[in-house]
Amino acid sequence: MRIRLTVLASTVMALLCAVSVLLVLGVLHGTAQRYRTDEITTTAVRLAYQAKRDRLPPVLLDQRVAGVQVIDPSGRIVSVSDTLLGRPRMAAFRPELTTPETSKVLCTSPAFPDRCMVVVAFRFHNAGGLWTIYAAEDTVPPYVNGPLLAALLGGSLLLVGLTALGTYQTVRKALGPVEAITSKLARITATDLSQRVPVSKYHDEIQRLAETANQTLDRAETAVERQRRFASDASHDLRSPLTAMRTEIEEALLHSEDADWPATGRALLSSCDRLQALVTDLLQLARLDAGASPRREPSDLGGLVARELDRRSRKVEVVRHLTPGVVVVVDRLALARLLNNLLDNGERHAVSMLSVTVRREGGKGVLEVLDDGAGIPPDKRELVFQRFARLDDGRSKDAGGTGLGLSIARQIAQAHGGTLTIEDSDKGARFVLRLPLAPPR
């Protein structure tokens, strides 16, 4: 990138210098051409003054111009520069009647073959009528003169070189932090995400890039650490039912004659049920982690909750407070899973009763599940939403739980743009789900 930007800047500067040199040469060339024409005219005027005083010799020496010819009224050359002796008239044009002099650039003058000349024709009155003096000098070259062209080209080359050097150094200094970030990112691996890229001290785009990269690394480290804990916890929870199944089988095989095979089969089925529930929850979490968009449609929250409650077998009394017409945009299957997870948790901890409420509150649809159990201490309310996190009370009441139900429920709520929290209550645990209401039709 440094080379490309340096070449680009140098090319632009070279073009600017070329245009500037052409403009300068154009202005100087016009000025020099006018100055030369004025010099030639001055020479012609001086010779006209001499002719009027009869001091004009037949051969003119050292006239400061390339050639001079004095023409009398009959068209005869009466005086000529020594350089033009024996040559024909250099021009045939004459000034207009309204002006005594005129000039032209001639590249086909008979007196100067193969040369482009500035020829001035000056007309004046003398004895016998109108006389004409032709004075000529070489035209100014397009580059005006060699030293000027060399100075302009040398200055342009120096400016292009300084531009290239300055651009290279500036870009190198500007990209230094980017190279440091690149080098640091190249050393960061999936097994070591603790490193961070250096942050520039200047408040610019590179500083924001470094800060964004570090924020991304923070999220990646958190995600990887969460995945590590998840894999560790999952392997432990998967190992428990497998170990129990293996123990049951090995014990039955050691005493096959005395083994109670029906009881062994029931124990194995219990472990299989736990294993199946765990695998189902893990697959659900994997889908949620993948960020798959749920298929949402407007649904009456109260009606959906009522249908799910009707389908469930009751372990405790369920009191309903379901407000109709609370319409939310949800994936019905996902929301049913969330509700059942909350109900399972509530039945596990309730003493005799569950209260399920649906209402509208501040532009949100609210679902509450409240049990009459011991409740959850405030400092433990976020812990229960972590994966595989189970409080001691939960383990004692249901040793076969997976510890994933509430985590899945919260992720489903977040996938729908809602929240799932535990809020204060007089007794028991009060889980509150808030979802955005469907826009009015």
Side-chain angles (χ1 to χ4, degrees):
M1 185 176 181
R2 284 179 290 183
I3 300 299
R4 291 199 302 272
L5 290 177
T6 300
V7 171
L8 178 61
S10 301
T11 302
V12 172
M13 181 54 68
L15 291 175
L16 291 176
C17 288
V19 172
S20 300
V21 167
L22 291 176
L23 289 175
V24 170
L25 289 178
V27 172
L28 293 179
H29 180 269
T31 302
Q33 192 82 332
R34 288 191 296 272
Y35 180 75
R36 180 158 293 185
T37 301
D38 292 341
E39 283 187 325
I40 298 171
T41 302
T42 300
T43 298
V45 171
R46 179 172 54 80
L47 291 176
Y49 177 76
Q50 292 179 1
K52 283 190 173 187
R53 301 185 63 181
D54 295 328
R55 294 180 180 179
L56 197 62
V59 179
L60 303 171
L61 303 175
D62 191 20
Q63 292 303 313
R64 300 179 185 177
V65 292
V68 175
Q69 292 175 336
V70 181
I71 312 299
D72 65 9
S74 64
R76 184 170 55 89
I77 299 175
V78 295
S79 183
V80 66
S81 298
D82 58 344
T83 56
L84 297 181
L85 287 173
R87 297 189 183 184
R89 284 176 58 168
M90 67 177 70
F93 68 91
R94 293 182 180 181
E96 299 291 336
L97 295 177
T98 56
T99 179
E101 60 90 18
T102 188
S103 62
K104 289 186 178 181
V105 175
L106 300 178
C107 294
T108 57
S109 173
F112 299 98
D114 302 324
R115 293 171 68 183
C116 287
M117 309 296 290
V118 179
V119 180
V120 174
F122 185 81
R123 184 175 56 196
F124 64 97
H125 287 275
N126 202 2
L130 291 174
W131 291 49
T132 303
I133 297 178
Y134 292 102
E137 182 58 88
D138 291 299
T139 58
V140 178
Y143 55 86
V144 183
N145 61 60
L148 174 63
L149 180 62
L152 290 175
L153 291 179
S156 298
L157 291 175
L158 178 61
L159 189 57
V160 171
L162 291 176
T163 300
L165 179 62
T167 302
Y168 185 85
Q169 294 296 335
T170 301
V171 175
R172 183 183 65 83
K173 184 177 180 180
L175 293 181
V178 177
E179 292 182 349
I181 293 173
T182 303
S183 176
K184 177 63 73 172
L185 287 175
R187 293 196 296 270
I188 296 175
T189 63
T191 57
D192 182 14
L193 292 173
S194 61
Q195 301 185 59
R196 296 295 179 266
V197 300
V199 178
S200 171
K201 62 181 179 180
Y202 303 105
H203 298 284
D204 53 14
E205 292 80 0
I206 296 178
Q207 185 190 65
R208 291 196 292 273
L209 171 64
E211 291 174 347
T212 303
N214 285 336
Q215 292 169 4
T216 302
L217 289 172
D218 289 339
R219 291 193 295 269
E221 185 179 20
T222 301
V224 169
E225 184 60 30
R226 185 168 59 246
Q227 290 296 333
R228 287 174 180 168
R229 291 196 303 268
F230 176 76
S232 175
D233 294 340
S235 63
H236 177 270
D237 278 57
L238 286 171
R239 192 182 302 116
S240 297
L242 290 174
T243 302
M245 294 169 66
R246 184 181 183 88
T247 301
E248 290 287 345
I249 294 172
E250 288 179 347
E251 184 177 354
L253 289 176
L254 283 175
H255 308 283
S256 57
E257 294 83 1
D258 302 328
D260 186 352
W261 288 105
T264 301
R266 287 191 294 272
L268 291 177
L269 282 176
S270 177
S271 296
C272 286
D273 290 340
R274 183 183 175 192
L275 186 62
Q276 183 178 6
L278 183 59
V279 171
T280 301
D281 286 347
L282 290 175
L283 290 175
Q284 178 68 26
L285 281 174
R287 285 193 291 268
L288 291 172
D289 288 341
S293 299
R295 297 192 325 180
R296 304 178 187 177
E297 56 185 333
S299 302
D300 186 302
L301 184 58
L304 191 151
V305 171
R307 286 192 296 273
E308 288 301 318
L309 290 176
D310 292 340
R311 292 170 52 186
R312 289 176 59 90
S313 59
R314 299 183 181 182
K315 298 180 180 179
V316 295
E317 180 185 359
V318 178
V319 179
R320 308 183 186 188
H321 305 281
L322 308 180
T323 302
V326 180
V327 181
V328 292
V329 180
V330 295
D331 180 339
R332 294 182 181 180
L333 292 178
L335 193 62
R337 178 66 184 275
L338 183 155
L339 175 61
N340 281 295
N341 285 359
L342 294 181
L343 293 174
D344 289 341
N345 180 79
E347 290 176 348
R348 187 180 304 123
H349 297 89
V351 176
S352 60
M353 185 268 294
L354 271 181
S355 173
V356 179
T357 303
V358 172
R359 67 178 185 276
R360 186 183 290 105
E361 179 183 285
K364 302 282 187 179
V366 179
L367 166 65
E368 288 187 6
V369 177
L370 172 65
D371 63 63
D372 60 350
I376 301 175
D379 60 331
K380 304 290 186 180
R381 290 178 180 177
E382 283 301 312
L383 177 62
V384 299
F385 289 108
Q386 296 181 10
R387 298 177 181 182
F388 298 106
R390 303 181 66 198
L391 302 182
D392 293 338
D393 182 60
R395 292 184 183 275
S396 63
K397 291 187 176 182
D398 184 10
T402 65
L404 295 173
L406 294 180
S407 177
I408 292 173
R410 171 168 277 188
Q411 283 197 247
I412 292 174
Q414 292 172 347
H416 286 78
T419 60
L420 177 62
T421 57
I422 302 174
E423 298 186 2
D424 294 336
S425 61
D426 295 335
K427 185 178 182 182
R430 176 170 164 246
F431 288 82
V432 181
L433 169 69
R434 287 182 171 84
L435 294 173
L437 290 174
R441 295 184 178 179

